Amino acid sequence: MRSSNPVLRENTFQGLFAEGDRMTMNGTVAKTGLLLLLAVVTGGWTWHRFDTLAAAGDVAGAIAAISPFMWGGLLVGFVLAMASTFLRQWSGITAPLYAIAEGFALGGISAFMELRYPGIVLQAVMLTAGVLAVMLVLYRTRVIKVTDRFRTGVVAATGAIMLLYLVDLGLRAFTSVQVPFIHESGLLGIGFSLVVVGLAALNLTLDFDLIERGTQAGAPKYMEWYGAFALMVTLVWLYMEILRLLSKARR
């Protein structure tokens, strides 16, 4: 019972048992849809604010107008993610607030990307939604079976990718060197991004599996919100990686 998701671990559902209403898979999926809707609404607001000013020719003003929402959303989203992780019984409140904050942040990032690569955001949103739907169907129909070997392979590969990102971040922070294929738009760079997007998609199946185990263990109803929050974390990563892949293809 492992997952690469930092907020969804093997002990997430241990020691939880509900005497009343219990967590269900369908309830978790429905709450995930609600969180996505909240993120889209706030992201759309940030996007509209940027687009209105940029269309008037004031790109600098547009950037200045949305920067507080973007950076504030990232910071508040991180704080709320930590709160959700340690106060799971409050996830019915913290998870929607997390989705709202992430929406502001993603709306700003998406606006910047759209300015540089017109049409890229709609493609990324549609691909993310499509990947989520396909992976959910493949998991529920057991076309993809989460075995111990499958789980170990995905977790190990994801850990290697995260380590590579951390090395690149350290190199860029303290030197002029960077890991080239993470950022380059050649065949190697695009191939790397394809692998990362595939891993992010496979991580959704690990999340589904762990959430389903939680429902089988009789977790309380509020854990549906926590499961939805955990899925949002993976979906944000998936969306950002798809944006990176599409931007490389455009370059």
Side-chain angles (χ1 to χ4, degrees):
M1 291 180 63
R2 290 180 295 169
S3 170
S4 305
N5 194 322
V7 303
L8 198 59
R9 311 305 299 169
E10 59 182 337
N11 63 349
T12 298
F13 298 99
Q14 290 180 0
L16 298 176
F17 182 79
E19 295 182 356
D21 291 339
R22 299 182 182 181
M23 176 185 186
T24 65
M25 192 68 175
N26 289 337
T28 304
V29 172
K31 288 177 173 60
T32 302
L34 178 58
L35 296 187
L36 288 173
L37 178 61
L38 290 173
V40 169
V41 169
T42 54
W45 184 88
T46 310
W47 174 295
H48 178 72
R49 185 177 177 86
F50 179 90
D51 190 57
T52 300
L53 293 172
D58 187 11
V59 176
I63 294 174
I66 69 167
S67 290
F69 296 96
M70 185 176 69
W71 293 109
L74 289 172
L75 178 60
V76 173
F78 176 77
V79 172
L80 289 168
M82 293 296 99
S84 298
T85 303
F86 293 105
L87 299 171
R88 296 169 191 161
Q89 66 274 21
W90 290 96
S91 54
I93 298 174
T94 57
L97 292 176
Y98 167 81
I100 290 171
E102 285 299 304
F104 283 124
L106 293 176
I109 294 170
S110 298
F112 288 139
M113 295 296 289
E114 183 72 13
L115 182 66
R116 189 171 183 183
Y117 308 106
I120 193 174
V121 173
L122 179 60
Q123 295 172 353
V125 169
M126 293 179 65
L127 283 171
T128 303
V131 169
L132 173 62
V134 168
M135 298 309 293
L136 181 59
V137 170
L138 291 178
Y139 176 78
R140 294 298 293 268
T141 57
R142 296 300 187 262
V143 173
I144 292 180
K145 297 180 180 179
V146 182
T147 63
D148 288 341
R149 181 174 297 181
F150 175 87
R151 185 182 295 110
T152 300
V154 173
V155 170
T158 305
I161 293 295
M162 294 299 105
L163 179 60
L164 186 61
Y165 277 160
L166 287 174
V167 170
D168 177 70
L169 184 63
L171 288 174
R172 296 177 70 188
F174 300 105
T175 70
S176 59
V177 180
Q178 63 181 20
V179 181
F181 54 82
I182 291 181
H183 309 284
E184 68 183 13
S185 57
L187 288 177
L188 185 59
I190 292 174
F192 173 78
S193 287
L194 281 170
V195 170
V196 178
V197 168
L199 272 176
L202 292 176
N203 269 277
L204 285 173
T205 63
L206 299 191
D207 293 350
F208 295 150
D209 180 65
L210 202 53
I211 290 169
E212 187 171 43
R213 290 173 183 266
T215 64
Q216 294 170 352
K221 193 72 173 177
Y222 67 80
M223 288 302 290
E224 290 180 351
W225 284 108
Y226 189 83
F229 155 69
L231 285 173
M232 275 291 296
V233 172
T234 301
L235 286 171
V236 168
W237 175 39
L238 175 64
Y239 173 73
M240 293 301 297
E241 292 298 342
I242 289 177
L243 266 183
R244 183 194 297 269
L245 172 61
L246 292 176
S247 68
K248 287 181 178 181
R250 291 289 189 91
R251 293 201 298 271

